[in-house]
């Protein structure tokens, strides 16, 4: 078939010295443009790279004349002879920088209006404007390369898992509300007025049902939709590597995922991750790092000074200890801090909820501290033993988990401020044995820490039931001490994904729903299908889901997941390019039997 335009027979990136003298046709966009004394130089960009093209009166008067019309981002076709650039005019930073194309024919395939955002370089435009013209921003190689990297990552994962017997299976988007913890996006059913589908927050129940169906290893690059408030690491829709395996135990699942992640790190970052990864139980993570996603690229673990001050005469410490609270410390051994720097650390801790933050300094073997004169000799010498001259120890007396969290945040702040993080390192680890449930202030009830399908640590669960005469009693405060078989993969202090060994027995699953406050009727109407499925010989199974967007920003070094999503939404959930969400017509609403009741 005849092509209506001069179609390319080469890509910019293919041009090499040996081609000098050859006639080629290139297609692409005008990336840069210079008029030097009547000769026009343009950089032509296609998806592969760039090539300098020259419009010279003596080569083709007609093309030279047409070249006057060129502006940035015109879409063009050029035919010309590949030539070596004159000596001194090479650009060694460019792959084709020793060459140019002497154009004998130019065809303007499509002109380009005045650009709202710069393509040839980062024009520093507002994020929203760049999102409105995202397709132009994506013309910039440094932006589109991330999307190509995304593709490569997905292919790598697909191959890795297929080679290990995993089967990729699609699950419905029009699904049923799932208890993942976020708000559902609802889709009204036209055929069944008043009924709604929910877009899946994750394929959790479907993948478990696939295990009941007998597929031993499932995965899916799955879109998950959650109607939550957005943050830098959160979008309304995100992509997960969703996985599930049957006839496995926790070590099988963790082993498979860490092998995958170490292979990804080798392939994409040429970085050796040694496996098995460290595994830190949740409780220990909180006690040592004050957070369930510790950044292990630096030390400075939280120290518990409870024993040293067990019989202290310092009243406020004693009273915190008597109430079951803790005396926690961070040893900062990097550099001496000035008075105002110490004050700034205290100020930060207060912003996190501390009443105050004390400190000890080893001042050449003498203890310097506002508390020093109230301390016993034994306390003083034990503290001094922990500090080298010049070291500072920040001390917090606080009750409950909040104390650990304050110290955890202070630890991170100190590491960032004083540059303690080794940026060349990747610290991958598992946090295991998460609590089974937590208290939700918003809902005023016990809710799952992970999700309700997570298997408890069975011995603990059985003891809990025994204590409560066989009833899953949410009012027994020891419920918060129960652990589950849930785990998170953490990289450099970011949660990459989570999963668990699942419940596969209908009786246990029903007990957990009851613990979460559901009545038998609610359980049957909302979860009858999965309880049924578990009663037909459901195999032991477990799995996890890893965030693809979060994994990618670890690889690209970006801060926000919007950088690696082709068409992201703003923090208000708006797509400025397509202008969505948007109102719909009355006819559409009528068909769906929906009447709007909008706030004034
Ligand atoms: N569906 C869970 C989630 O999205 C992950 C899992 O348990 O596999 O967090």
């Amino acid at each position: 078939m005849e092509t209506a335009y001069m179609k390319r027979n080469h890509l910019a990136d293919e041009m090499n010295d040996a081609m000098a003298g050859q006639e080629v046709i290139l297609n692409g966009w005008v990336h840069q443009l210079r008029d030097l004394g009547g000769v026009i130089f343009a950089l032509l960009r296609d998806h592969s790279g760039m090539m300098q093209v020259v419009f010279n009166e003596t080569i083709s008067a007609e093309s030279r004349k047409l070249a006057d019309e060129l502006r940035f981002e015109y879409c063009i076709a050029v035919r010309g002879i590949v030539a070596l650039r004159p000596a001194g005019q090479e650009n060694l930073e460019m792959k084709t920088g020793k060459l140019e194309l002497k154009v004998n024919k130019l065809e303007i395939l499509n002109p380009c209006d005045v650009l709202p955002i710069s393509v040839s370089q980062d024009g520093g435009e507002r994020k929203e404007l760049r999102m409105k013209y995202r397709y132009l921003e994506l013309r910039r190689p440094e932006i589109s390369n991330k999307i190509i990297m995304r593709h490569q990552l997905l292919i790598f994962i697909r191959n890795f898992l297929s080679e290990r017997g995993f089967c990729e299976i699609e699950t419905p988007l029009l699904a049923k509300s799932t208890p993942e913890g976020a708000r559902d996006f609802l889709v009204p059913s036209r055929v069944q007025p008043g009924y709604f589908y929910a877009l899946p927050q994750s394929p959790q129940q479907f993948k478990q049902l696939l295990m009941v169906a007998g597929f031993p290893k499932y995965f899916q690059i799955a879109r998950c939709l959650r109607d939550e408030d957005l943050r830098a690491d959160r979008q309304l829709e995100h992509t997960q590597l969703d996985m599930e395996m049957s006839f496995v135990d926790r070590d099988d699942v963790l082993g498979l995922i860490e092998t995958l992640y170490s292979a990804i790190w080798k392939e994409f970052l040429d970085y050796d991750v040694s496996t098995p990864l460290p595994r830190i139980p949740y409780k220990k993570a909180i006690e040592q790092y004050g957070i369930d996603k510790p950044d292990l690229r630096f030390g400075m673990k939280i120290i518990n000074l409870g024993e040293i001050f067990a019989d202290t005469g310092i009243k406020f410490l004693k009273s915190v200890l008597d109430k079951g609270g803790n005396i926690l410390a961070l040893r900062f051994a990097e550099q001496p801090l000035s008075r105002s720097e110490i004050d700034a650390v205290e100020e930060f801790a207060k912003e996190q909820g501390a009443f105050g933050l004390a400190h000890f300094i080893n001042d050449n073997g003498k203890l310097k501290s506002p508390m020093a004169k109230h301390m016993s000799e034994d306390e003083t010498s034990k503290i001094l033993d922990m500090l080298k001259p010049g070291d500072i120890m920040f001390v917090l007396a606080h009750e409950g988990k909040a104390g650990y969290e304050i110290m955890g945040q202070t630890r991170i702040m100190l590491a960032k401020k004083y540059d303690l993080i080794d940026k060349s390192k990747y610290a991958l680890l598992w946090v295991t044995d998460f609590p089974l449930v937590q208290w939700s202030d918003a809902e005023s009830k016990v809710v799952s820490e992970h999700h309700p399908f997570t298997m408890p640590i069975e011995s603990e669960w059985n003891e809990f039931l025994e204590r409560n005469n066989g009833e899953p009693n949410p009012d027994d405060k020891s419920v918060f001490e129960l652990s589950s078989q849930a785990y998170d993969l953490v990289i450099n202090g970011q949660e990459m994904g989570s999963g668990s060994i699942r419940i596969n027995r209908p009786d246990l699953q029903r007990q957990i729903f009851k613990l979460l406050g559901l009545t038998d009727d609610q359980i049957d109407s909302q979860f009858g299908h999965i309880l049924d499925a578990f009663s037909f010989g459901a195999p032991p199974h477990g799995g996890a889901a890893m965030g693809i967007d979060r994994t990618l920003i670890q690889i690209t070094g970006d801060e926000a997941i919007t950088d690696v999503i082709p068409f992201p939404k703003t923090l208000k959930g708006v797509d400025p390019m397509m202008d969505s969400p948007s109102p719909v017509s009355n006819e559409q609403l009528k068909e769906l039997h929906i009447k709007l009741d909008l706030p004034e």
Side-chain angles (χ1 to χ4, degrees), residues 8-258:
R8 67 178 158 214
N9 51 24
H10 281 280
L11 295 176
D13 197 44
E14 291 167 4
M15 304 290 102
N16 61 58
D17 299 5
M19 290 172 75
Q22 195 177 321
E23 185 176 77
V24 299
I25 300 177
L26 300 179
N27 294 168
W29 290 269
V30 176
H31 190 73
Q32 273 175 21
L33 208 53
R34 276 177 306 147
D35 187 340
L36 288 186
V39 180
I40 290 183
F41 292 86
L43 262 190
L44 175 141
R45 184 193 71 243
D46 63 21
H47 64 271
S48 73
M50 315 245 193
M51 174 73 174
Q52 174 161 287
V53 297
V54 187
F55 304 93
N56 190 333
E57 172 78 35
T58 56
I59 296 169
S60 165
E62 194 188 338
S63 296
R64 169 61 192 83
K65 191 152 179 287
L66 191 57
D68 274 335
E69 288 177 26
L70 294 181
R71 298 289 177 269
F72 285 156
E73 295 305 309
Y74 266 47
C75 183
I76 58 172
V78 288
R79 192 186 65 204
I81 308 288
V82 180
L84 291 172
R85 292 192 197 181
Q89 291 183 22
E90 298 96 343
N91 176 355
L92 297 181
E93 278 167 25
M94 233 176 101
K95 184 165 175 229
T96 61
K98 284 198 205 152
L99 301 169
E100 60 189 12
L101 189 75
K102 293 187 179 305
V103 177
N104 53 38
K105 183 159 186 205
L106 163 67
E107 199 180 318
I108 293 177
L109 302 179
N110 221 339
C112 174
D113 275 348
V114 175
L115 288 165
I117 64 167
S118 163
V119 173
S120 59
Q121 60 194 35
D122 183 349
E125 297 89 359
R126 274 186 306 120
K127 177 119 183 133
E128 194 142 331
L129 189 67
R130 286 188 279 121
M131 287 171 88
K132 182 169 167 64
Y133 297 100
R134 179 70 170 159
Y135 50 87
L136 289 179
E137 193 180 32
L138 284 170
R139 282 189 186 173
R140 290 174 45 203
E142 59 274 32
I143 309 284
S144 58
N145 282 343
K146 293 174 190 175
I147 308 302
I148 295 166
M149 172 86 80
R150 186 181 182 103
H151 158 74
Q152 287 162 344
L153 177 68
L154 294 183
I155 291 279
F156 185 84
I157 290 173
R158 286 194 157 105
N159 289 339
F160 181 98
L161 292 175
S162 304
E163 281 160 16
R164 285 162 183 76
F166 280 78
C167 185
E168 182 165 20
I169 303 176
E170 287 167 282
T171 53
L173 272 182
L174 293 177
K176 190 176 161 117
S177 189
T178 57
E180 223 81 21
R183 208 174 284 118
D184 287 316
F185 278 106
L186 297 176
V187 181
S189 160
R190 178 183 55 80
V191 189
Q192 306 208 36
Y195 281 59
F196 293 80
Y197 303 98
L199 299 178
Q201 292 185 32
S202 89
Q204 185 61 37
Q205 294 188 63
F206 288 112
K207 68 174 170 178
Q208 290 192 244
L209 293 168
L210 287 169
M211 295 301 108
V212 181
F215 293 94
K217 295 177 181 180
Y218 143 95
F219 83 101
Q220 181 178 192
I221 305 294
R223 208 66 74 76
C224 300
L225 298 114
R226 301 179 186 181
D227 189 0
E228 340 179 69
D229 295 332
L230 304 189
R231 299 197 300 247
D233 61 351
R234 218 176 245 177
Q235 282 271 296
L236 297 178
E237 42 188 310
H238 70 277
T239 307
Q240 283 186 346
L241 162 60
D242 193 43
M243 315 166 65
E244 199 73 12
M245 301 153 85
S246 60
F247 301 108
V248 287
D249 58 24
R250 188 185 75 175
D251 288 354
D252 295 316
V253 182
L254 301 195
L256 184 275
I257 295 173
E258 60 193 32

Side-chain angles (χ1 to χ4, degrees), residues 351-366:
E351 282 163 21
Q352 309 303 309
F355 300 112
L357 191 72
H359 64 271
F360 301 125
I361 296 174
N362 180 338
D363 188 11
N364 283 320
K366 261 197 85 193

Side-chain angles (χ1 to χ4, degrees), residues 375-390:
M375 284 164 65
S376 71
E377 236 169 71
D378 184 53
E379 288 166 351
T380 307
S381 82
K382 282 184 174 151
I383 295 293
L384 273 176
D385 279 350
M386 299 170 84
L387 302 174
K388 291 192 303 325

